[in-house]
Every structure is written in structure tokens, then in C-alpha cells.
Amino acid sequence: MSIMKLTATTAAIALTTTSAVARDNVQVAGSSTVLPYASIVAEAFGENFDFPTPVVESGGSSAGLKRFCEGVGENTIDIANSSRPIRESDLELCNENGVTDIIEVRIGYDGIVFASQIDGPEFTAFEASDIFNALGAKVLVDGEIVDNPHTQWADFNADLPAADILAFIPGTKHGTREVFEDKVLLQGCEDTGAMEAMIAGGMSEDDAEDACIEVRGNGITVDIDGDYTETLARVDSNPNGIGVFGLAFYENNTDSLKVATIGGVEPKTETIASGEYPVSRPLFFFIKKAHIGVIPGLKEFAEFFISNEIAGPDGPLSAYGLVSDPELSVTQEAVASEETL
């Protein structure tokens, strides 16, 4: 037996002998996007099963996965919520700490949206190129790659308001940031011709991609390390501010926010399900298999979460913006059989 497997087995034995007494509730942490869904399911689970209500915390996808990968034992969390796939670097950290058997659970899909004060400037229609021209650190102006000179949205698109550029974007520990970079900034960089100009100027493709997703500072872009409530508070206090939110959060705050189309497509359940809305992503949680059968209710909670009654198209999560996964039955079978990555 390898040292890694031996470590995992020893940790699992320690967990088995101590945690039933030390902890009897499921513990979850991670993505602020998945948080409202997990909280709804946790509350319903506590009401309908003879298990304690799971404890669900936020903190961001990367932070949740880091906690998840700290090891096996009652002092570590059982589930990590994530709005991005698990990375190789996450798996390496898990392996180093004996977390070798991980069950991936895709719960459905969500979109990220750009929303602003409901009575603020007419930020109602963006292209990916607009977001890049506003927020990119370096942009293409008159055929040259330069430090971003734009101060107002109308500087580069006369159809946009003559309002100062100010954006509250997810911090780097949030899974939403990765989607924002790949599907908005990188796409905008390509659409404006900036990436092609960077490569023509001598950059490698990898370096050009890194330059494309670099955002400007100086208070024009503000990283939000907290959850969407912090982003909402910033937008509420800044009339020109635009925030990046998950669709579900926006839909629960339409009394104070208005949303912009991207590429002429309105973000809503139907356009995300069809793939028409360009800024959507799958949502996940990851289960520590070594804790199944040890932490009471862990597998039952996971199966309840992805049941047709909860995560299906007519389930309560759909009312909060979750787009049901067309392959939900495949995920249900994988969880039932405890299939690992």
C-alpha cells in the first residue's frame, strides 16, 4: 500500500472512531453562487429527515475547495460547493493531505450577469468587447496596444452612457471570476482585435491570454472578496457602479437592480438552458467519500439535493434561478454508486 493510501486509510479510521461523537451534522463551505441553493436544500433536509440541518458557509469556490482538501476527519468539511470545475492544483492539494476519493456532483447551470442600480445610467446592453474596453488593463486604440485610457463608457461606444466606469467584480478566490475572465474579458479581447495585436507584437499566445484577462485598478475595478450581498451594497452606494452577480441573486433583487443583455441576449433560465446566453457555467459540489457512512446524513443530503423533486425543472431550486441539468439522472446514478473522480 502506498504512503498516500495508507495516510488516507489511517485518517478514515480516525474519523470513524471519533467523529460520530464529535460531530453529527454535515458541514458545507464554498461558492457564494451555490450558497443560496445549498441553504434552501439544507433547510428542507433538516425539516424532512431525521438528521440535523447541515451547516452551510460561503467564502468562495477556491476557499471552499482549499478547506475541503485540508484532510480527512471530523474537523474538516464534508462538502465543497463550487461554481467552477475542480482544478488539477486542487486535486494535488487534496492528494497531499490524504483526500483521495472525491465525488463530483453537478447540480445544474447558472449565468453571471451585469447589473446596476435600477434608476441609474442606462446600462442595459453590453457586448463582451464593451466590458473588455472598459475594464481591461491594456486595450487596442488606433491599432496600438496601450494602457487603458477610457474613463467613461461612451469613450469607446457612443451607444453607452457618458458615465464614469466603475465595476465591482468577483475576487480571484471566487469561481465566478474565472467565468468572467474566460467568457467575457478573453472573448472581448479577441473581438476587439487586441489579442491578435498582442501576438503580432511579439507576445506568445499564453502571454496574450494573460494580458487579456488583466484588469485595470485605480478604483475603476474593485475586487469583491465577499459574497454578492457585498457587491449589492457597493452598487447601492455608487450610482455609476456595475456589479457582477449570479443570475439567481439578481432575480431575488430585481426591486433594486436592472440587468444588461450580453450580445443582445437577456439572461434568464430559458436562454441559459438553450446555451443562447453566452456567460453561463455549470455548478458543482464535491463530496469527501471517506466521510460517507461516518458523518450522519451525508449521502442522504447529497441524494436529496440532486433529486428530481429538488433540482429538477419543476423543483424549488428552479424558482431561484438554477437551470436544471438535462443529465441529472446520470449524476444521480453516480452519487448513488459513490463514483469518484
mmCIF file of all heavy atoms in Angstrom, residues 26-31 34 61-62 64-65 68-69 77-87 90-91 94 99 101-107 282-289 291-292 298 301-302 305 335 339-341:
data_model
loop_
_atom_site.group_PDB
_atom_site.id
_atom_site.type_symbol
_atom_site.label_atom_id
_atom_site.label_comp_id
_atom_site.label_asym_id
_atom_site.label_seq_id
_atom_site.Cartn_x
_atom_site.Cartn_y
_atom_site.Cartn_z
ATOM 1 N N VAL A 26 -23.762 17.527 8.825
ATOM 2 C CA VAL A 26 -22.988 17.727 7.601
ATOM 3 C C VAL A 26 -22.496 19.170 7.565
ATOM 4 O O VAL A 26 -23.240 20.105 7.877
ATOM 5 C CB VAL A 26 -23.861 17.435 6.367
ATOM 6 C CG1 VAL A 26 -23.110 17.758 5.076
ATOM 7 C CG2 VAL A 26 -24.321 15.977 6.379
ATOM 8 N N GLN A 27 -21.237 19.357 7.156
ATOM 9 C CA GLN A 27 -20.660 20.700 7.063
ATOM 10 C C GLN A 27 -20.236 20.991 5.628
ATOM 11 O O GLN A 27 -19.545 20.186 5.002
ATOM 12 C CB GLN A 27 -19.483 20.846 8.033
ATOM 13 C CG GLN A 27 -19.922 20.787 9.489
ATOM 14 C CD GLN A 27 -18.818 21.141 10.461
ATOM 15 O OE1 GLN A 27 -17.664 21.321 10.079
ATOM 16 N NE2 GLN A 27 -19.170 21.254 11.729
ATOM 17 N N VAL A 28 -20.664 22.158 5.143
ATOM 18 C CA VAL A 28 -20.502 22.545 3.739
ATOM 19 C C VAL A 28 -19.914 23.954 3.687
ATOM 20 O O VAL A 28 -20.290 24.820 4.486
ATOM 21 C CB VAL A 28 -21.865 22.543 3.013
ATOM 22 C CG1 VAL A 28 -21.685 22.832 1.527
ATOM 23 C CG2 VAL A 28 -22.615 21.236 3.244
ATOM 24 N N ALA A 29 -19.012 24.203 2.730
ATOM 25 C CA ALA A 29 -18.483 25.559 2.531
ATOM 26 C C ALA A 29 -18.131 25.739 1.064
ATOM 27 O O ALA A 29 -17.994 24.767 0.325
ATOM 28 C CB ALA A 29 -17.260 25.808 3.413
ATOM 29 N N GLY A 30 -17.985 27.009 0.645
ATOM 30 C CA GLY A 30 -17.530 27.268 -0.717
ATOM 31 C C GLY A 30 -18.281 28.372 -1.424
ATOM 32 O O GLY A 30 -18.573 29.420 -0.845
ATOM 33 N N SER A 31 -18.625 28.107 -2.671
ATOM 34 C CA SER A 31 -19.139 29.096 -3.616
ATOM 35 C C SER A 31 -20.310 29.922 -3.083
ATOM 36 O O SER A 31 -21.292 29.377 -2.578
ATOM 37 C CB SER A 31 -19.585 28.374 -4.894
ATOM 38 O OG SER A 31 -20.360 29.212 -5.717
ATOM 39 N N VAL A 34 -23.417 29.035 -5.231
ATOM 40 C CA VAL A 34 -24.136 27.814 -4.838
ATOM 41 C C VAL A 34 -24.787 27.979 -3.466
ATOM 42 O O VAL A 34 -25.748 27.275 -3.141
ATOM 43 C CB VAL A 34 -23.184 26.600 -4.864
ATOM 44 C CG1 VAL A 34 -23.905 25.309 -4.467
ATOM 45 C CG2 VAL A 34 -22.562 26.434 -6.253
ATOM 46 N N SER A 61 -15.443 29.636 -4.089
ATOM 47 C CA SER A 61 -15.141 28.287 -4.568
ATOM 48 C C SER A 61 -13.737 27.842 -4.180
ATOM 49 O O SER A 61 -13.544 26.736 -3.662
ATOM 50 C CB SER A 61 -15.299 28.221 -6.092
ATOM 51 O OG SER A 61 -16.615 28.528 -6.485
ATOM 52 N N SER A 62 -12.754 28.678 -4.451
ATOM 53 C CA SER A 62 -11.370 28.291 -4.169
ATOM 54 C C SER A 62 -11.136 28.112 -2.677
ATOM 55 O O SER A 62 -10.454 27.174 -2.252
ATOM 56 C CB SER A 62 -10.409 29.331 -4.737
ATOM 57 O OG SER A 62 -10.489 29.367 -6.146
ATOM 58 N N GLY A 64 -13.407 27.320 -0.451
ATOM 59 C CA GLY A 64 -14.105 26.113 -0.026
ATOM 60 C C GLY A 64 -13.339 24.855 -0.380
ATOM 61 O O GLY A 64 -13.229 23.925 0.426
ATOM 62 N N LEU A 65 -12.791 24.805 -1.594
ATOM 63 C CA LEU A 65 -12.013 23.640 -2.005
ATOM 64 C C LEU A 65 -10.721 23.518 -1.202
ATOM 65 O O LEU A 65 -10.272 22.408 -0.897
ATOM 66 C CB LEU A 65 -11.724 23.712 -3.507
ATOM 67 C CG LEU A 65 -12.917 23.334 -4.385
ATOM 68 C CD1 LEU A 65 -12.718 23.815 -5.821
ATOM 69 C CD2 LEU A 65 -13.157 21.828 -4.358
ATOM 70 N N PHE A 68 -11.775 21.970 1.957
ATOM 71 C CA PHE A 68 -12.139 20.588 1.660
ATOM 72 C C PHE A 68 -10.897 19.701 1.592
ATOM 73 O O PHE A 68 -10.905 18.548 2.031
ATOM 74 C CB PHE A 68 -12.892 20.575 0.333
ATOM 75 C CG PHE A 68 -13.351 19.228 -0.143
ATOM 76 C CD1 PHE A 68 -14.529 18.669 0.332
ATOM 77 C CD2 PHE A 68 -12.636 18.528 -1.106
ATOM 78 C CE1 PHE A 68 -14.978 17.435 -0.129
ATOM 79 C CE2 PHE A 68 -13.072 17.299 -1.580
ATOM 80 C CZ PHE A 68 -14.244 16.747 -1.079
ATOM 81 N N CYS A 69 -9.831 20.256 1.021
ATOM 82 C CA CYS A 69 -8.605 19.486 0.796
ATOM 83 C C CYS A 69 -7.646 19.495 1.985
ATOM 84 O O CYS A 69 -6.525 18.992 1.872
ATOM 85 C CB CYS A 69 -7.891 20.012 -0.451
ATOM 86 S SG CYS A 69 -8.759 19.679 -1.998
ATOM 87 N N ILE A 77 -14.351 19.850 6.543
ATOM 88 C CA ILE A 77 -15.695 19.891 5.966
ATOM 89 C C ILE A 77 -15.941 18.650 5.107
ATOM 90 O O ILE A 77 -15.002 17.986 4.649
ATOM 91 C CB ILE A 77 -15.923 21.170 5.142
ATOM 92 C CG1 ILE A 77 -14.973 21.244 3.926
ATOM 93 C CG2 ILE A 77 -15.795 22.403 6.020
ATOM 94 C CD1 ILE A 77 -15.285 22.389 2.984
ATOM 95 N N ASP A 78 -17.217 18.362 4.879
ATOM 96 C CA ASP A 78 -17.621 17.181 4.129
ATOM 97 C C ASP A 78 -17.858 17.473 2.652
ATOM 98 O O ASP A 78 -17.640 16.614 1.797
ATOM 99 C CB ASP A 78 -18.931 16.619 4.708
ATOM 100 C CG ASP A 78 -18.867 16.468 6.208
ATOM 101 O OD1 ASP A 78 -17.965 15.771 6.689
ATOM 102 O OD2 ASP A 78 -19.716 17.086 6.897
ATOM 103 N N ILE A 79 -18.327 18.692 2.363
ATOM 104 C CA ILE A 79 -18.714 19.077 1.007
ATOM 105 C C ILE A 79 -18.156 20.452 0.683
ATOM 106 O O ILE A 79 -18.196 21.358 1.520
ATOM 107 C CB ILE A 79 -20.251 19.100 0.860
ATOM 108 C CG1 ILE A 79 -20.822 17.679 0.922
ATOM 109 C CG2 ILE A 79 -20.686 19.786 -0.428
ATOM 110 C CD1 ILE A 79 -22.346 17.623 0.892
ATOM 111 N N ALA A 80 -17.635 20.613 -0.537
ATOM 112 C CA ALA A 80 -17.220 21.922 -1.044
ATOM 113 C C ALA A 80 -18.132 22.308 -2.202
ATOM 114 O O ALA A 80 -18.254 21.554 -3.180
ATOM 115 C CB ALA A 80 -15.768 21.894 -1.512
ATOM 116 N N ASN A 81 -18.789 23.448 -2.089
ATOM 117 C CA ASN A 81 -19.575 23.992 -3.199
ATOM 118 C C ASN A 81 -18.654 24.754 -4.144
ATOM 119 O O ASN A 81 -17.713 25.421 -3.697
ATOM 120 C CB ASN A 81 -20.651 24.952 -2.679
ATOM 121 C CG ASN A 81 -21.723 24.257 -1.883
ATOM 122 O OD1 ASN A 81 -22.041 23.093 -2.132
ATOM 123 N ND2 ASN A 81 -22.310 24.964 -0.921
ATOM 124 N N SER A 82 -18.933 24.681 -5.433
ATOM 125 C CA SER A 82 -18.048 25.352 -6.383
ATOM 126 C C SER A 82 -18.801 25.782 -7.632
ATOM 127 O O SER A 82 -19.634 25.035 -8.152
ATOM 128 C CB SER A 82 -16.894 24.424 -6.786
ATOM 129 O OG SER A 82 -16.006 25.067 -7.664
ATOM 130 N N SER A 83 -18.486 26.972 -8.112
ATOM 131 C CA SER A 83 -19.048 27.448 -9.379
ATOM 132 C C SER A 83 -18.036 27.297 -10.510
ATOM 133 O O SER A 83 -18.148 27.932 -11.547
ATOM 134 C CB SER A 83 -19.501 28.910 -9.255
ATOM 135 O OG SER A 83 -18.427 29.737 -8.877
ATOM 136 N N ARG A 84 -17.072 26.428 -10.302
ATOM 137 C CA ARG A 84 -16.109 26.074 -11.356
ATOM 138 C C ARG A 84 -15.727 24.608 -11.172
ATOM 139 O O ARG A 84 -15.860 24.042 -10.077
ATOM 140 C CB ARG A 84 -14.854 26.945 -11.281
ATOM 141 C CG ARG A 84 -14.060 26.792 -9.973
ATOM 142 C CD ARG A 84 -12.683 27.391 -10.111
ATOM 143 N NE ARG A 84 -11.915 27.400 -8.878
ATOM 144 C CZ ARG A 84 -11.243 26.365 -8.383
ATOM 145 N NH1 ARG A 84 -11.300 25.190 -8.985
ATOM 146 N NH2 ARG A 84 -10.532 26.479 -7.272
ATOM 147 N N PRO A 85 -15.225 23.971 -12.234
ATOM 148 C CA PRO A 85 -14.740 22.594 -12.072
ATOM 149 C C PRO A 85 -13.543 22.546 -11.128
ATOM 150 O O PRO A 85 -12.843 23.549 -10.939
ATOM 151 C CB PRO A 85 -14.333 22.191 -13.498
ATOM 152 C CG PRO A 85 -15.052 23.142 -14.392
ATOM 153 C CD PRO A 85 -15.156 24.429 -13.629
ATOM 154 N N ILE A 86 -13.302 21.383 -10.544
ATOM 155 C CA ILE A 86 -12.134 21.228 -9.682
ATOM 156 C C ILE A 86 -10.882 21.239 -10.559
ATOM 157 O O ILE A 86 -10.865 20.699 -11.668
ATOM 158 C CB ILE A 86 -12.242 19.924 -8.854
ATOM 159 C CG1 ILE A 86 -11.254 19.948 -7.688
ATOM 160 C CG2 ILE A 86 -12.093 18.685 -9.729
ATOM 161 C CD1 ILE A 86 -11.525 18.882 -6.637
ATOM 162 N N ARG A 87 -9.846 21.919 -10.092
ATOM 163 C CA ARG A 87 -8.613 22.066 -10.865
ATOM 164 C C ARG A 87 -7.592 20.994 -10.471
ATOM 165 O O ARG A 87 -7.671 20.394 -9.405
ATOM 166 C CB ARG A 87 -7.992 23.445 -10.615
ATOM 167 C CG ARG A 87 -8.827 24.618 -11.067
ATOM 168 C CD ARG A 87 -8.201 25.906 -10.579
ATOM 169 N NE ARG A 87 -8.962 27.070 -10.975
ATOM 170 C CZ ARG A 87 -8.943 28.230 -10.308
ATOM 171 N NH1 ARG A 87 -8.221 28.351 -9.208
ATOM 172 N NH2 ARG A 87 -9.667 29.252 -10.732
ATOM 173 N N ASP A 90 -6.114 21.796 -7.195
ATOM 174 C CA ASP A 90 -6.958 21.392 -6.068
ATOM 175 C C ASP A 90 -6.731 19.918 -5.758
ATOM 176 O O ASP A 90 -6.577 19.524 -4.596
ATOM 177 C CB ASP A 90 -8.441 21.608 -6.384
ATOM 178 C CG ASP A 90 -8.798 23.047 -6.688
ATOM 179 O OD1 ASP A 90 -8.288 23.937 -5.996
ATOM 180 O OD2 ASP A 90 -9.596 23.272 -7.614
ATOM 181 N N LEU A 91 -6.722 19.092 -6.803
ATOM 182 C CA LEU A 91 -6.551 17.652 -6.618
ATOM 183 C C LEU A 91 -5.188 17.328 -6.019
ATOM 184 O O LEU A 91 -5.063 16.427 -5.189
ATOM 185 C CB LEU A 91 -6.738 16.928 -7.953
ATOM 186 C CG LEU A 91 -8.152 16.972 -8.542
ATOM 187 C CD1 LEU A 91 -8.165 16.370 -9.943
ATOM 188 C CD2 LEU A 91 -9.136 16.245 -7.643
ATOM 189 N N CYS A 94 -5.415 18.088 -2.353
ATOM 190 C CA CYS A 94 -6.191 17.029 -1.709
ATOM 191 C C CYS A 94 -5.342 15.774 -1.530
ATOM 192 O O CYS A 94 -5.309 15.174 -0.444
ATOM 193 C CB CYS A 94 -7.426 16.704 -2.541
ATOM 194 S SG CYS A 94 -8.867 17.750 -2.215
ATOM 195 N N VAL A 99 -6.843 13.263 0.916
ATOM 196 C CA VAL A 99 -8.215 13.285 0.389
ATOM 197 C C VAL A 99 -8.147 12.729 -1.032
ATOM 198 O O VAL A 99 -7.957 13.464 -1.993
ATOM 199 C CB VAL A 99 -8.808 14.712 0.405
ATOM 200 C CG1 VAL A 99 -10.264 14.685 -0.072
ATOM 201 C CG2 VAL A 99 -8.715 15.319 1.786
ATOM 202 N N ASP A 101 -10.391 10.234 -2.484
ATOM 203 C CA ASP A 101 -11.627 9.782 -3.124
ATOM 204 C C ASP A 101 -12.653 10.908 -3.060
ATOM 205 O O ASP A 101 -13.187 11.211 -1.991
ATOM 206 C CB ASP A 101 -12.166 8.525 -2.443
ATOM 207 C CG ASP A 101 -11.269 7.315 -2.680
ATOM 208 O OD1 ASP A 101 -10.830 7.135 -3.840
ATOM 209 O OD2 ASP A 101 -10.990 6.569 -1.731
ATOM 210 N N ILE A 102 -12.917 11.510 -4.225
ATOM 211 C CA ILE A 102 -13.794 12.685 -4.313
ATOM 212 C C ILE A 102 -14.918 12.395 -5.292
ATOM 213 O O ILE A 102 -14.680 11.923 -6.410
ATOM 214 C CB ILE A 102 -12.997 13.920 -4.778
ATOM 215 C CG1 ILE A 102 -11.867 14.242 -3.789
ATOM 216 C CG2 ILE A 102 -13.919 15.125 -4.951
ATOM 217 C CD1 ILE A 102 -10.872 15.272 -4.303
ATOM 218 N N ILE A 103 -16.140 12.685 -4.876
ATOM 219 C CA ILE A 103 -17.307 12.510 -5.740
ATOM 220 C C ILE A 103 -17.727 13.881 -6.275
ATOM 221 O O ILE A 103 -18.012 14.788 -5.496
ATOM 222 C CB ILE A 103 -18.474 11.868 -4.964
ATOM 223 C CG1 ILE A 103 -18.050 10.506 -4.391
ATOM 224 C CG2 ILE A 103 -19.704 11.724 -5.862
ATOM 225 C CD1 ILE A 103 -19.060 9.917 -3.420
ATOM 226 N N GLU A 104 -17.730 14.026 -7.601
ATOM 227 C CA GLU A 104 -18.149 15.277 -8.231
ATOM 228 C C GLU A 104 -19.648 15.236 -8.494
ATOM 229 O O GLU A 104 -20.162 14.274 -9.054
ATOM 230 C CB GLU A 104 -17.405 15.478 -9.547
ATOM 231 C CG GLU A 104 -17.806 16.742 -10.295
ATOM 232 C CD GLU A 104 -17.129 16.857 -11.642
ATOM 233 O OE1 GLU A 104 -17.676 16.297 -12.627
ATOM 234 O OE2 GLU A 104 -16.058 17.474 -11.713
ATOM 235 N N VAL A 105 -20.342 16.313 -8.099
ATOM 236 C CA VAL A 105 -21.796 16.380 -8.275
ATOM 237 C C VAL A 105 -22.140 17.677 -8.999
ATOM 238 O O VAL A 105 -21.941 18.765 -8.465
ATOM 239 C CB VAL A 105 -22.519 16.339 -6.913
ATOM 240 C CG1 VAL A 105 -24.032 16.313 -7.122
ATOM 241 C CG2 VAL A 105 -22.064 15.146 -6.086
ATOM 242 N N ARG A 106 -22.632 17.554 -10.230
ATOM 243 C CA ARG A 106 -23.059 18.741 -10.978
ATOM 244 C C ARG A 106 -24.547 18.951 -10.696
ATOM 245 O O ARG A 106 -25.365 18.088 -10.989
ATOM 246 C CB ARG A 106 -22.815 18.550 -12.468
ATOM 247 C CG ARG A 106 -23.053 19.819 -13.299
ATOM 248 C CD ARG A 106 -22.646 19.603 -14.739
ATOM 249 N NE ARG A 106 -23.456 18.587 -15.383
ATOM 250 C CZ ARG A 106 -23.045 17.830 -16.414
ATOM 251 N NH1 ARG A 106 -21.832 17.989 -16.891
ATOM 252 N NH2 ARG A 106 -23.851 16.927 -16.939
ATOM 253 N N ILE A 107 -24.887 20.110 -10.125
ATOM 254 C CA ILE A 107 -26.271 20.320 -9.692
ATOM 255 C C ILE A 107 -27.122 21.016 -10.748
ATOM 256 O O ILE A 107 -28.353 20.980 -10.688
ATOM 257 C CB ILE A 107 -26.332 21.118 -8.374
ATOM 258 C CG1 ILE A 107 -25.826 22.556 -8.582
ATOM 259 C CG2 ILE A 107 -25.551 20.413 -7.292
ATOM 260 C CD1 ILE A 107 -26.108 23.469 -7.397
ATOM 261 N N PRO A 282 -21.595 25.571 -15.412
ATOM 262 C CA PRO A 282 -22.147 24.549 -14.532
ATOM 263 C C PRO A 282 -21.782 24.834 -13.079
ATOM 264 O O PRO A 282 -20.770 25.485 -12.797
ATOM 265 C CB PRO A 282 -21.467 23.265 -15.028
ATOM 266 C CG PRO A 282 -20.174 23.726 -15.609
ATOM 267 C CD PRO A 282 -20.435 25.093 -16.176
ATOM 268 N N LEU A 283 -22.619 24.367 -12.170
ATOM 269 C CA LEU A 283 -22.385 24.500 -10.735
ATOM 270 C C LEU A 283 -22.206 23.108 -10.134
ATOM 271 O O LEU A 283 -22.857 22.147 -10.565
ATOM 272 C CB LEU A 283 -23.557 25.213 -10.062
ATOM 273 C CG LEU A 283 -23.911 26.597 -10.614
ATOM 274 C CD1 LEU A 283 -25.128 27.162 -9.876
ATOM 275 C CD2 LEU A 283 -22.730 27.556 -10.500
ATOM 276 N N PHE A 284 -21.346 23.016 -9.123
ATOM 277 C CA PHE A 284 -20.976 21.728 -8.566
ATOM 278 C C PHE A 284 -20.971 21.744 -7.043
ATOM 279 O O PHE A 284 -20.900 22.796 -6.419
ATOM 280 C CB PHE A 284 -19.541 21.345 -8.979
ATOM 281 C CG PHE A 284 -19.261 21.324 -10.446
ATOM 282 C CD1 PHE A 284 -18.820 22.465 -11.104
ATOM 283 C CD2 PHE A 284 -19.405 20.158 -11.186
ATOM 284 C CE1 PHE A 284 -18.528 22.450 -12.466
ATOM 285 C CE2 PHE A 284 -19.128 20.127 -12.541
ATOM 286 C CZ PHE A 284 -18.688 21.269 -13.182
ATOM 287 N N PHE A 285 -21.002 20.536 -6.465
ATOM 288 C CA PHE A 285 -20.414 20.353 -5.145
ATOM 289 C C PHE A 285 -19.614 19.056 -5.165
ATOM 290 O O PHE A 285 -19.838 18.173 -6.002
ATOM 291 C CB PHE A 285 -21.436 20.406 -4.000
ATOM 292 C CG PHE A 285 -22.498 19.344 -3.967
ATOM 293 C CD1 PHE A 285 -22.246 18.085 -3.428
ATOM 294 C CD2 PHE A 285 -23.776 19.617 -4.428
ATOM 295 C CE1 PHE A 285 -23.237 17.121 -3.359
ATOM 296 C CE2 PHE A 285 -24.786 18.656 -4.357
ATOM 297 C CZ PHE A 285 -24.510 17.402 -3.824
ATOM 298 N N PHE A 286 -18.646 18.975 -4.270
ATOM 299 C CA PHE A 286 -17.741 17.836 -4.199
ATOM 300 C C PHE A 286 -17.847 17.203 -2.812
ATOM 301 O O PHE A 286 -17.847 17.908 -1.804
ATOM 302 C CB PHE A 286 -16.305 18.273 -4.489
ATOM 303 C CG PHE A 286 -16.135 18.838 -5.873
ATOM 304 C CD1 PHE A 286 -16.274 20.202 -6.108
ATOM 305 C CD2 PHE A 286 -15.883 18.009 -6.951
ATOM 306 C CE1 PHE A 286 -16.159 20.726 -7.381
ATOM 307 C CE2 PHE A 286 -15.766 18.519 -8.231
ATOM 308 C CZ PHE A 286 -15.905 19.880 -8.450
ATOM 309 N N ILE A 287 -17.957 15.872 -2.783
ATOM 310 C CA ILE A 287 -18.151 15.128 -1.541
ATOM 311 C C ILE A 287 -16.879 14.365 -1.189
ATOM 312 O O ILE A 287 -16.254 13.736 -2.060
ATOM 313 C CB ILE A 287 -19.300 14.118 -1.673
ATOM 314 C CG1 ILE A 287 -20.564 14.773 -2.217
ATOM 315 C CG2 ILE A 287 -19.579 13.437 -0.334
ATOM 316 C CD1 ILE A 287 -21.626 13.770 -2.646
ATOM 317 N N LYS A 288 -16.526 14.389 0.067
ATOM 318 C CA LYS A 288 -15.413 13.599 0.579
ATOM 319 C C LYS A 288 -15.937 12.193 0.870
ATOM 320 O O LYS A 288 -16.642 11.962 1.845
ATOM 321 C CB LYS A 288 -14.869 14.265 1.847
ATOM 322 C CG LYS A 288 -13.467 13.885 2.227
ATOM 323 C CD LYS A 288 -12.984 14.768 3.374
ATOM 324 C CE LYS A 288 -12.783 16.218 2.928
ATOM 325 N NZ LYS A 288 -12.333 17.081 4.034
ATOM 326 N N LYS A 289 -15.606 11.237 0.010
ATOM 327 C CA LYS A 289 -16.180 9.887 0.132
ATOM 328 C C LYS A 289 -15.843 9.238 1.469
ATOM 329 O O LYS A 289 -16.657 8.473 2.017
ATOM 330 C CB LYS A 289 -15.699 9.008 -1.023
ATOM 331 C CG LYS A 289 -16.348 7.622 -1.016
ATOM 332 C CD LYS A 289 -15.928 6.787 -2.216
ATOM 333 C CE LYS A 289 -16.562 5.396 -2.159
ATOM 334 N NZ LYS A 289 -16.187 4.573 -3.338
ATOM 335 N N HIS A 291 -16.001 10.361 4.253
ATOM 336 C CA HIS A 291 -16.927 10.790 5.301
ATOM 337 C C HIS A 291 -18.305 10.135 5.173
ATOM 338 O O HIS A 291 -19.112 10.222 6.095
ATOM 339 C CB HIS A 291 -17.079 12.310 5.277
ATOM 340 C CG HIS A 291 -15.896 13.037 5.805
ATOM 341 N ND1 HIS A 291 -15.956 14.361 6.213
ATOM 342 C CD2 HIS A 291 -14.605 12.653 5.994
ATOM 343 C CE1 HIS A 291 -14.755 14.744 6.631
ATOM 344 N NE2 HIS A 291 -13.923 13.724 6.490
ATOM 345 N N ILE A 292 -18.586 9.503 4.016
ATOM 346 C CA ILE A 292 -19.876 8.834 3.837
ATOM 347 C C ILE A 292 -19.945 7.623 4.768
ATOM 348 O O ILE A 292 -19.004 6.826 4.847
ATOM 349 C CB ILE A 292 -20.071 8.404 2.370
ATOM 350 C CG1 ILE A 292 -20.239 9.631 1.471
ATOM 351 C CG2 ILE A 292 -21.280 7.484 2.230
ATOM 352 C CD1 ILE A 292 -20.398 9.301 -0.005
ATOM 353 N N LEU A 298 -24.793 12.378 5.352
ATOM 354 C CA LEU A 298 -24.022 12.990 4.264
ATOM 355 C C LEU A 298 -24.519 12.519 2.898
ATOM 356 O O LEU A 298 -24.852 13.339 2.032
ATOM 357 C CB LEU A 298 -22.535 12.688 4.428
ATOM 358 C CG LEU A 298 -21.611 13.175 3.302
ATOM 359 C CD1 LEU A 298 -21.765 14.668 3.062
ATOM 360 C CD2 LEU A 298 -20.148 12.822 3.612
ATOM 361 N N PHE A 301 -28.114 13.619 2.243
ATOM 362 C CA PHE A 301 -28.210 15.033 1.870
ATOM 363 C C PHE A 301 -27.855 15.228 0.402
ATOM 364 O O PHE A 301 -28.550 15.944 -0.338
ATOM 365 C CB PHE A 301 -27.288 15.871 2.758
ATOM 366 C CG PHE A 301 -27.180 17.317 2.340
ATOM 367 C CD1 PHE A 301 -28.254 18.174 2.460
ATOM 368 C CD2 PHE A 301 -25.989 17.817 1.835
ATOM 369 C CE1 PHE A 301 -28.157 19.508 2.079
ATOM 370 C CE2 PHE A 301 -25.874 19.146 1.454
ATOM 371 C CZ PHE A 301 -26.966 19.995 1.580
ATOM 372 N N ALA A 302 -26.772 14.584 -0.048
ATOM 373 C CA ALA A 302 -26.336 14.720 -1.440
ATOM 374 C C ALA A 302 -27.407 14.203 -2.396
ATOM 375 O O ALA A 302 -27.714 14.844 -3.414
ATOM 376 C CB ALA A 302 -25.024 13.980 -1.649
ATOM 377 N N PHE A 305 -30.354 16.580 -2.505
ATOM 378 C CA PHE A 305 -30.012 17.809 -3.229
ATOM 379 C C PHE A 305 -30.264 17.645 -4.721
ATOM 380 O O PHE A 305 -30.819 18.547 -5.373
ATOM 381 C CB PHE A 305 -28.536 18.142 -2.967
ATOM 382 C CG PHE A 305 -28.136 19.565 -3.235
ATOM 383 C CD1 PHE A 305 -27.371 20.266 -2.302
ATOM 384 C CD2 PHE A 305 -28.477 20.220 -4.408
ATOM 385 C CE1 PHE A 305 -26.990 21.584 -2.527
ATOM 386 C CE2 PHE A 305 -28.097 21.536 -4.652
ATOM 387 C CZ PHE A 305 -27.351 22.221 -3.703
ATOM 388 N N VAL A 335 -23.817 9.451 -7.833
ATOM 389 C CA VAL A 335 -23.833 9.645 -6.380
ATOM 390 C C VAL A 335 -24.308 8.383 -5.674
ATOM 391 O O VAL A 335 -23.727 7.951 -4.669
ATOM 392 C CB VAL A 335 -24.716 10.851 -5.999
ATOM 393 C CG1 VAL A 335 -24.871 10.937 -4.479
ATOM 394 C CG2 VAL A 335 -24.111 12.152 -6.534
ATOM 395 N N GLU A 339 -19.468 7.033 -7.162
ATOM 396 C CA GLU A 339 -18.433 7.077 -8.199
ATOM 397 C C GLU A 339 -17.505 8.258 -7.975
ATOM 398 O O GLU A 339 -17.964 9.398 -7.816
ATOM 399 C CB GLU A 339 -19.111 7.180 -9.553
ATOM 400 C CG GLU A 339 -18.176 7.200 -10.753
ATOM 401 C CD GLU A 339 -18.942 7.348 -12.055
ATOM 402 O OE1 GLU A 339 -20.018 6.711 -12.174
ATOM 403 O OE2 GLU A 339 -18.476 8.085 -12.928
ATOM 404 N N THR A 340 -16.206 8.026 -7.952
ATOM 405 C CA THR A 340 -15.242 9.085 -7.662
ATOM 406 C C THR A 340 -14.518 9.554 -8.920
ATOM 407 O O THR A 340 -14.554 8.899 -9.960
ATOM 408 C CB THR A 340 -14.189 8.606 -6.643
ATOM 409 O OG1 THR A 340 -13.489 7.469 -7.181
ATOM 410 C CG2 THR A 340 -14.850 8.209 -5.327
ATOM 411 N N LEU A 341 -13.883 10.715 -8.800
ATOM 412 C CA LEU A 341 -13.103 11.268 -9.899
ATOM 413 C C LEU A 341 -11.919 10.348 -10.230
ATOM 414 O O LEU A 341 -11.360 9.733 -9.314
ATOM 415 C CB LEU A 341 -12.571 12.653 -9.524
ATOM 416 C CG LEU A 341 -13.591 13.766 -9.411
ATOM 417 C CD1 LEU A 341 -12.953 15.014 -8.799
ATOM 418 C CD2 LEU A 341 -14.183 14.096 -10.779
#
